[in-house]
Amino acid sequence: MLQVKDVKDGMRLKLYDKLIVSEKNGRTFYNMKVELPDGTKKLAGIFGKTQNALIEAFGAETDNWDGKYVEVEIDPRGYIILWPVSESTKIAEEQRQQTQKESLEDEEIKP
């Protein structure tokens, strides 16, 4: 399971696979696999603010969440909240990273 020690505020994680629904002691639990930036894969609890935000951003059909990105927030009580990252934010970040990479490559070429 994803724990506070595994993440930092602002870290981006990738959701993958399908929502896992399980029951224990009469309670229903929702979990989804996430991939950390280093490639480590963990199971994250999907409930409360996270669940509501993901449904609002990506829709109630959880199969559509596969491949989407979330950003970590650790609240003052030590709970992990996963906020959806919009496609436009993701595209802008990828473009910024590509521009930085090209800029570094240009500097390496100059004598």
Side-chain angles (χ1 to χ4, degrees), residues 27-39:
R27 292 184 59 196
T28 304
F29 295 90
Y30 302 94
N31 296 289
M32 191 150 190
K33 296 175 186 173
V34 295
E35 183 175 339
L36 281 67
D38 67 1

Side-chain angles (χ1 to χ4, degrees), residues 1-2 4 7 18 23 29 39 48 50 53 57-58 62-63 70-72 77 79-81 86 91 98-99 101 109:
M1 282 300 285
L2 187 67
V4 172
V7 293
K18 296 181 179 187
E23 296 216 12
F29 295 90
T50 295
F58 304 141
T62 59
D63 289 351
V70 293
E71 188 169 293
V72 172
R77 298 172 296 162
Y79 291 112
I80 298 171
I81 302 170
S86 72
I91 290 168
Q98 182 62 32
T99 301
K101 180 181 174 188
I109 295 172

Side-chain angles (χ1 to χ4, degrees), residues 46-60:
I46 305 295
F47 53 90
K49 289 181 183 179
T50 295
Q51 184 177 18
N52 294 335
L54 292 176
I55 290 170
E56 186 175 321
F58 304 141

